Every structure is written in structure tokens, then in C-alpha cells.
Amino acid sequence: MAKQAPKVDPAQDRARVTEPKHAAAGLPAVGHSLRMANDQMSPKRALATLLKVNQPDGFDCPGCAWPEPGKTHTAEFCENGAKAVAEEATERRVTAAFFAEHPVAELADRSGYWLGQQGRLTEPMLLEEGATHYTPVSWDRAFAIVAEELHRLPSPDAAAFYTSGRTSNEAAFAYQLFARQLGTNNLPDCSNMCHESSGSALVETLGVGKGSVSLKDLYQADLIIVAGQNPGTNHPRMLSALERAKRAGAKIVSVNPLPEAGLERFKNPQNARGLAGTGTKLTDLFLQIRLGGDLALFRALNQLILNAENGVDHAFVAEHCLGFEEFAAEAAATTRAEVLAATGLPWEQIEELAELTLGSQKVIVCWAMGLTQHKHSVPTIREVVNFLLLRGNVGRPGAGVCPVRGHSNVQGDRTMGIFERPAPAFLDALGKEFGFEPPRHHGLDSVDTIRAMRDGRVKVFFAMGGNFVAATPDTEVTEAAMRRCALTVHVSTKLNRSHVVTGARALILPTLGRTDRDWTAAGAQFVSVEDSMGMVHSSRGGLQPPSATLLSEVAIVCRLARAALGEANDVPWEAFAESYDTVRDRIARVVPGFDDFNAKVRAPGGFALPHGPRDSRTFPTATGKANFSVNPLTAPEVPEGRLLLQTLRSHDQYNTTVYGLDDRYRGIIGGRRVVMVNPADAAALGLTEGGYVDLVSEWVDGSERRAPHFQVVHYPVARGGAAAYYPETNVLVPLDSTAEISNTPTSKAVLIRFEPDSGS
């Protein structure tokens, strides 16, 4: 009997608040994983599916991009990975009958959680201009509609082609090729909203916009600093790697405005100590930093290293680096008062971390969105690189930079050319391989795409996966911009908010998921992905697809390309759709590091992409060296009566996909419209625990944005800050509040005030 989706949208306005947890995983995580799987599918299907997650002969988890170890466990998945798999492998179905029953206006009033719980999409659907309901449409007609709208545009740049981080390498390569043959570099992607700041800083300083470490490096490190990251919820399998590093002797330091259970203690469900015992204490030193204070912290550490006897690896600096003198002068000029004001930390804690650094030969710094979504994020990450370069901690085993990516192939999509500002060398190789001249002008990133839709400059929006409306900032502005389009198209596995905020016409194109078997006339197909540490491996689904009507992402791109570019276009789109080996053969001739792609990706575990700084201490920067940088010390100004808000995920969530209404580790159960405030700040602002307020964000142009009816939760947040879940609080993030250089939304630094609940 098919599993039933919830018919009633559950109330989400009153949460039950309990004490936060101080350990992650263990038996509760196992129980929650099994309950979620059983809720979505039969026990037999659940077991067969979960045992194939992240296995060499199975499929890559559709959740995060954390790499697989060399030897995988039988159950190589975490709690949130199990939730992601269960939602994709669900036996619930969204058919034409569902859309006939529910007008779009009604669906627009439902929560994202309810929409996602309805199940897998089964056939292409069209919303005609002026219509109230989606209706079925054939694939041929759907592709013809997109082609017709593209041909009406005054320029190819009036279209934008968005990519989610779950898109495979093969689909992403075909997708960017289609867009560039059409004539545009408008290829916004989810990297623009998360790790764009990392890429910008790392390309400038080290020459490669990716991390330089492997899992083996983590196991060999003496000191691991985890800054602005909550792996217990967002990358739970990272906890296993940290546990292994800790048992090998590493010290672990966590830097975060909130204490997080996963970094306090890990109860590994793979062993008896984790299931029945106390688990492993991970963090040796916790620095509860103020929002936006990380640049000041690493500046202080760098100053202490510069002043220490034998603190600097002068041989490494002399041989491999430039800009040391200018950087050192800036660091020397920084005062202790500036550091203390920006970080909110006791000086003794900063000195303790400096001593740990000076006593360590191999240091890794890991980070995520807590560092990347501030106005000064790029300077902050450059300062992290300064910190590592000072003691030669790049290109040494057990040391390096470790930006921890989110979605499972977000890094691979960029490698495949999903980028609005492509390197000339990539365009040269692409044009030579396919016999055309790719566009050279820069395209639009995610924020600029919203601006262009708002201003009427982009009329067709095509999304390869994701939930653009819910993932982006300034929700009201974004939704109004989407509604100005002539056509919006979403390639999706499940229903989400972006399907009900549409242009004049809209298409939903259902696709195969990672768990689904992919057969073509040429036989069984597989795709490939690149993890957060530059390993490329294969992914093979094994489940019967939820509908015979579904097409793979590769097939959708190829059939659309043929419809839009015409029969005269000499790219072998039909061959690409039939055999993904043919796509990989062309990738091998265009993308560096993918030579002999088809052979290497078939090896168990895949292969590592080359990384000059890591492999040979060669730095492909503009100077040919690793670059120290000068980063002016800045801290956000917070007027009296205001706090800085960071948006974050709950534990029952991955990006914009909400699996449930609990944040178990933080002790918030059954509700999402909550705002976490330090009890001392709450007292000063007159915020009663359990009371309701409106959150109002303030921007430099005098504009305000409101998120109504939030429950106040007293929580140990760093003073001066607050925290609340996205996408509910994305409405508060001004579209023009972005990071310098990277243009990433500043979702970790939203100036807010509190007003009485407008609904009370």
C-alpha cells in the first residue's frame, strides 16, 4: 500500500522548548533515520535503498558533499542523509490528479514542508497564462514551449539558466554547453549563495578555488579549527572523520556564535561506544565568537604568530609567497581593543588558540557559511589563508584549507563550467572542441539574476533543480521578480515553493533522482559527482523510477538543446542522451584533470583531481606565488536596541528542504517560527521567553522588511546576535546586502529590531 502524504498543513507557530543537547547521533539518530524511512516507504525498500548510499556500486547521497572514506561502512550514511534518501525514494506520488485538485493559488498558501511531503513528481505539467491549475503536457510540447520563448527574446542574455548543486557532472556540462551555444553566460548557481566567497578568496591567494585537503589529511592533522560550521546537522559524516582525527591525537577547536551539540560530543552509531557509551568528546576549546568577528580573531592569531620566536616558517614564505611585508605591517598595527570589541572573546582564549597553533606542525581550518555570508567574508577567508601560510600549512600532509561544501555536487558543477564568469582557457577549450565561439562577456550570478528579472531584463528563467525562490534573499522582491518573467521552468523531483511562484507561463519538468535506475537504448547509465575534497566518483541508482514518463537531467538538457538550437546544430545531443560515456569523452577533452575520464571514474572510489598547491606547492595565481593579503579590520555596527541575525538550518532540514518540524539538538520541537536570543540581550530588550514578536530588518537605504509572528526562545547565542531558521527569515535579507567581491547574500549579518507581534 502506497504511503500517504499529509493532507493537513501542520501548525508551525508554537514550539515546545527543551534543554539543548550536548551530544550528536547515537541511538536517537538511528531511530529518527528508521522512522523517516518507514514513513516514506516500505521496510524492504528502505533497507535496500539505504544500504546502497555512498557505496562504490551504489549512488551518491543527494544530501551533502562530504567525501566517502577509502573503506566504506555497510551503513555509509548519516541521519540527515537517510532523510534525504527517504524523501527521494518515497512511495508518495504527485500526479495530474493532484494538480487538478489543487489550484496554484491554494498551493501557494501551503508551507514548503507540506509541499515537499506530497511525494515525487510523475509527469510534465504546464501552467498556461491566466490559468488557475497546472495541466499535463507532453515532453515534445514542453520543449517546444521553451524553445518558442527563447526565440522571442531580444537577446540570449534575456534568459538565465540556474543550477542546483545536485546536478550531475554530465548534466551540468551539457547544460552549460547548451547555454553558451545559445549565446549567454547567464549561469547562476547555488554556489553564488554559499561558498562563492571561499572561491573568490582562494583563487586570489592560492590560485585554486577549492579546498586543499583530503580525508587522509584530516586524520593526520595536529590541530583542526572548525569555524562558522555546524557539522552535526549540516555534514554529519564529518563527525566520524573528526573522531578519527581526535583519536590519532589531533586537537579540535570550534569557533561559532552558538554552541553546537555535534562539536561537543559525538556518539558514533557505527560502534558500541557511540551507541551505548558516552561517545567521543570532540572540542578541546570552544570560542563563542560574535557574529562577524572571525576576521579579527585570525588577525590576532597572526599577530601573535608574528611576534612568537620561531612562529613563522620563513623558508616557506621566502620560497612560495609574496606580500608578506605588507601583510605583517597591517597585522602589527591591529590593537587588542579592536580585536576584543569585534570578537567578544577573552584575550586569554585567543592566546590559548595561538599556543595550540604554535605547538602544532600540521593545521587545518574548516569553515562553511558562518564565514562566507558576511559583507567582509572574502577578506576574512583571505586572513585565514594568511594564518595558514605563516607556518607553511599549505601543501603539507595533514594541513591546509578545508571549505566544507553543501550540496552533493555543487563543486563539480563549477568544475564543469557552471559559472557566470568563466575562465578564458575554459571557453577556448570548449569552443575548440565543439567548433563555435562561446560568449566572452560575463553573465549574471544569482543576485544579479533577481535584479535582472525585477527590472524586466531577464524574461525566461530555467532552473536545473533546486528551489530558487526559497533559497534566495529578499523573498518578496524575488517572488515579484519571478512573476515578471514570461516563462519559468523547473526541472525537479519534488514539489516546492518555486513551482507556485511563476512567470506568465510555467513548466514543471520531472526528472530522475539519484536513487532511480537510469536506462537508455544503450543500456544502464551512471553519472558522476565531485565531492567537497575534489574526488570524482560514479553514482548509480537502483530503484524503479516513480513513473515511466520521467527523463534524466541529461536527456532533458539534450532534448531541449535540440529543440532550441535546431537540427543544424552539430553537437551530438541524441548520442549524449543515449550514452553518458559520450559526454564524458568530451569532458575529458575540455576540462583539465579529466583525461581518460571514462576509465578512471569506473575505478572503485573514483579519482582525485589535481590541485597544484596541495600536490606540489605550485600556485596558479596571477603572481605565480601564494599571496599574503592586507585585509582592513572591520566589524558590523549594531545600534542600541538592535541585534545581528544569522539565518541557519534546523536539524530536520537540508538547505530549503524541511524534513520535519524539530530541531532536536537545540531543543526546539514542533515549530520553526522561532528566534533564538541570548537571555541577557532578551532582558535588555524586554523580550519575554515564549512571547511573540515581529522581526524587522533595517537597511542602509532606510527600507525595512518584516517577518511576523516569531516565538522568542532564550538561547546561549553570543551576545549581540540572534538566530532563526531560513527560508522563513530570507525575507529579511536585503537583496543589495551582499559580500564584497563575491556578491553572496549576507545572511549571517542581518540588522534587526523587534516589534510587538502584528498578529496578536
Side-chain angles (χ1 to χ4, degrees):
M1 182 177 177
K3 298 288 183 176
Q4 297 299 308
K7 300 300 182 185
V8 177
D9 207 348
Q12 298 184 40
D13 59 343
R14 168 58 67 176
R16 178 169 59 87
V17 181
T18 64
E19 285 296 312
K21 300 291 188 287
H22 298 284
L27 277 173
V30 175
H32 279 79
S33 300
L34 294 177
R35 280 194 292 275
M36 172 66 78
N38 186 62
D39 189 46
Q40 297 278 354
M41 50 186 164
S42 69
K44 181 179 179 180
R45 181 182 175 92
L47 181 64
T49 305
L50 291 175
L51 292 181
K52 286 293 186 180
V53 183
N54 296 323
Q55 299 299 329
D57 62 343
F59 62 91
D60 191 64
C61 178
C64 79
W66 190 253
E68 280 70 72
K71 183 178 180 181
T72 57
H73 292 283
T74 301
E76 191 60 57
F77 56 87
C78 64
E79 178 187 348
N80 274 0
K83 293 173 183 176
V85 169
E87 291 242 331
E88 184 175 290
T90 181
E91 294 176 291
R92 300 171 184 173
R93 301 290 181 260
V94 176
T95 65
F98 172 90
F99 288 105
E101 181 183 350
H102 299 285
V104 174
E106 177 201 320
L107 295 175
D109 287 335
R110 300 284 195 169
S111 68
Y113 168 67
W114 186 89
L115 292 173
Q117 289 297 306
Q118 301 312 300
R120 289 286 300 272
L121 296 159
T122 57
E123 57 188 304
M125 303 299 296
L126 168 65
L127 182 69
E128 286 283 16
E129 186 169 2
T132 58
H133 292 69
Y134 276 99
T135 56
V137 64
S138 71
W139 280 108
D140 284 345
R141 179 58 186 148
F143 295 133
I145 288 170
V146 181
E148 290 163 7
E149 292 289 355
L150 291 174
H151 294 159
R152 289 192 185 106
L153 297 176
S155 160
D157 289 328
F161 298 91
Y162 176 74
T163 314
S164 151
R166 285 174 60 171
T167 305
S168 70
N169 287 330
E170 292 75 13
F173 183 81
Y175 191 52
Q176 62 81 31
L177 173 61
F178 162 60
R180 292 187 166 113
Q181 287 221 321
L182 191 69
T184 185
N185 282 316
N186 287 351
L187 286 158
D189 74 323
C190 56
S191 285
N192 301 145
M193 294 176 284
C194 54
H195 268 290
E196 198 67 61
S197 297
S198 300
S200 298
L202 294 176
V203 166
E204 179 183 346
T205 56
L206 301 180
V208 179
K210 303 179 182 182
S212 67
V213 303
S214 66
L215 276 180
K216 184 178 179 181
D217 290 315
L218 277 175
Y219 304 151
Q220 296 177 357
D222 298 322
L223 174 64
I224 301 170
I225 300 173
V226 182
Q229 185 194 357
N230 174 20
T233 286
N234 301 329
H235 313 91
R237 286 191 303 135
M238 181 179 176
L239 300 182
S240 299
L242 292 177
E243 179 186 50
R244 181 168 171 178
K246 188 71 181 288
R247 293 189 176 179
K251 297 291 185 181
I252 297 175
V253 175
S254 57
V255 182
N256 207 52
L258 283 77
E260 299 290 9
L263 284 169
E264 290 187 55
R265 185 173 292 276
F266 175 47
K267 295 184 176 183
N268 191 338
Q270 299 282 359
N271 58 52
R273 178 186 175 92
L275 283 175
T278 59
T280 302
K281 182 180 182 291
L282 292 182
T283 293
D284 296 285
L285 176 63
F286 172 44
L287 277 63
Q288 188 167 20
I289 198 164
R290 285 180 179 162
L291 277 169
D294 303 275
L295 172 54
L297 170 62
F298 281 96
R299 171 65 53 74
L301 294 172
N302 289 337
Q303 187 183 78
L304 291 169
I305 292 169
L306 286 164
N307 293 336
E309 185 177 359
N310 299 320
V312 178
D313 185 339
H314 288 289
F316 172 84
V317 170
E319 182 177 356
H320 296 291
C321 303
L322 291 177
F324 174 78
E325 290 77 13
E326 296 85 351
F327 149 74
E330 177 76 9
T334 302
T335 68
R336 183 180 298 190
E338 289 176 310
V339 171
L340 296 180
T343 64
L345 296 170
W347 185 253
E348 293 75 17
Q349 277 199 333
I350 298 174
E351 288 183 315
E352 186 176 356
L353 178 51
E355 288 300 317
L356 285 171
T357 303
L358 292 167
S360 301
Q361 292 298 312
K362 297 169 288 186
V363 180
I364 291 172
V365 182
C366 305
W367 70 88
M369 266 92 84
L371 262 61
T372 66
Q373 293 182 326
H374 294 270
K375 183 174 180 58
H376 57 282
S377 285
V378 175
T380 296
I381 297 164
R382 290 193 305 226
E383 197 69 26
V384 170
V385 175
N386 289 340
F387 168 76
L388 292 167
L389 291 177
L390 272 178
R391 293 180 54 77
N393 279 308
V394 176
R396 171 188 296 164
V401 293
C402 185
V404 182
R405 307 283 176 168
H407 248 149
S408 59
N409 198 40
V410 63
Q411 185 160 293
D413 290 346
R414 180 59 57 86
T415 303
M416 291 295 108
I418 301 294
F419 192 30
E420 74 281 357
R421 292 174 285 120
F426 176 85
L427 295 179
D428 290 344
L430 189 72
K432 180 180 179 181
E433 177 64 25
F434 291 99
F436 79 111
E437 180 54 43
R440 299 283 169 162
H441 58 282
H442 288 175
L444 302 173
D445 64 13
S446 293
V447 167
D448 284 338
T449 294
I450 298 169
R451 292 169 177 153
M453 291 190 296
R454 176 198 62 191
D455 299 340
R457 291 181 285 116
V458 163
K459 289 294 188 181
V460 172
F461 178 84
F462 194 105
M464 182 60 63
N467 184 2
F468 188 81
V469 164
T472 46
D474 219 341
T475 307
E476 291 183 3
V477 172
T478 296
E479 292 192 354
M482 292 289 282
R483 290 187 170 107
R484 289 204 67 189
C485 290
L487 176 67
T488 50
V489 186
H490 295 275
V491 178
S492 305
T493 57
K494 298 182 67 186
L495 199 61
N496 64 48
R497 177 70 182 169
S498 294
H499 302 137
V500 297
V501 178
T502 72
R505 290 202 290 177
L507 283 163
I508 301 173
L509 305 182
T511 189
L512 298 176
R514 291 275 178 83
T515 58
D516 297 326
R517 186 183 301 119
D518 187 355
W519 282 89
T520 70
Q525 301 299 312
F526 69 88
V527 295
S528 64
V529 297
E530 178 186 346
D531 66 32
S532 195
M533 293 180 176
M535 290 293 298
V536 179
H537 60 273
S538 63
S539 178
R540 298 171 175 82
L543 295 179
Q544 184 71 23
S547 165
T549 310
L550 300 189
L551 295 178
S552 70
E553 291 178 326
V554 176
I556 290 172
V557 172
C558 292
R559 288 182 60 175
L560 172 61
R562 181 59 74 203
L565 299 176
E567 294 299 325
N569 183 270
D570 59 5
V571 174
W573 298 110
E574 291 79 9
F576 283 179
E578 184 172 308
S579 171
Y580 305 165
D581 279 354
T582 63
V583 183
R584 287 186 283 270
D585 284 340
R586 309 302 278 268
I587 292 171
R589 296 199 286 267
V590 172
V591 184
F594 283 83
D595 52 290
D596 205 15
F597 187 9
N598 268 311
K600 290 193 296 188
V601 78
R602 283 174 162 83
F607 63 98
L609 292 175
H611 190 290
R614 177 195 65 209
D615 301 336
S616 58
R617 285 188 164 176
T618 56
F619 300 92
T621 62
T623 64
K625 299 279 189 177
N627 294 315
F628 280 96
S629 56
V630 174
N631 304 298
L633 194 61
T634 60
E637 295 183 8
V638 184
E640 186 175 352
R642 275 66 172 166
L643 296 178
L644 271 188
L645 175 76
Q646 64 169 324
T647 71
L648 42 68
R649 300 170 180 162
S650 79
H651 189 62
D652 262 356
Q653 175 181 358
Y654 195 79
N655 290 347
T656 61
T657 302
V658 177
Y659 303 131
L661 304 180
D662 297 343
D663 194 351
R664 192 170 75 251
Y665 294 155
R666 296 192 182 106
I668 298 170
I669 309 301
R672 291 181 53 83
R673 295 190 77 82
V674 298
V675 58
M676 291 166 263
V677 183
N678 186 288
D681 286 329
L685 296 169
L687 301 176
T688 305
E689 185 164 26
Y692 285 89
V693 294
D694 287 359
L695 310 181
V696 182
S697 74
E698 301 176 347
W699 182 231
V700 293
D701 63 2
S703 61
E704 296 180 347
R705 292 155 180 82
R706 183 177 299 268
H709 196 61
F710 273 70
Q711 180 183 342
V712 175
V713 173
H714 289 184
Y715 198 84
V717 184
R719 289 295 306 272
Y725 305 127
Y726 71 82
E728 289 85 352
T729 49
N730 284 354
V731 66
L732 299 172
V733 185
L735 184 64
D736 293 329
S737 182
T738 60
E740 299 165 352
I741 302 173
S742 69
N743 207 31
T744 296
T746 59
S747 300
K748 299 295 183 286
V750 184
L751 183 66
I752 62 166
R753 69 173 188 269
F754 300 86
E755 290 191 354
D757 178 18
S758 58
S760 60

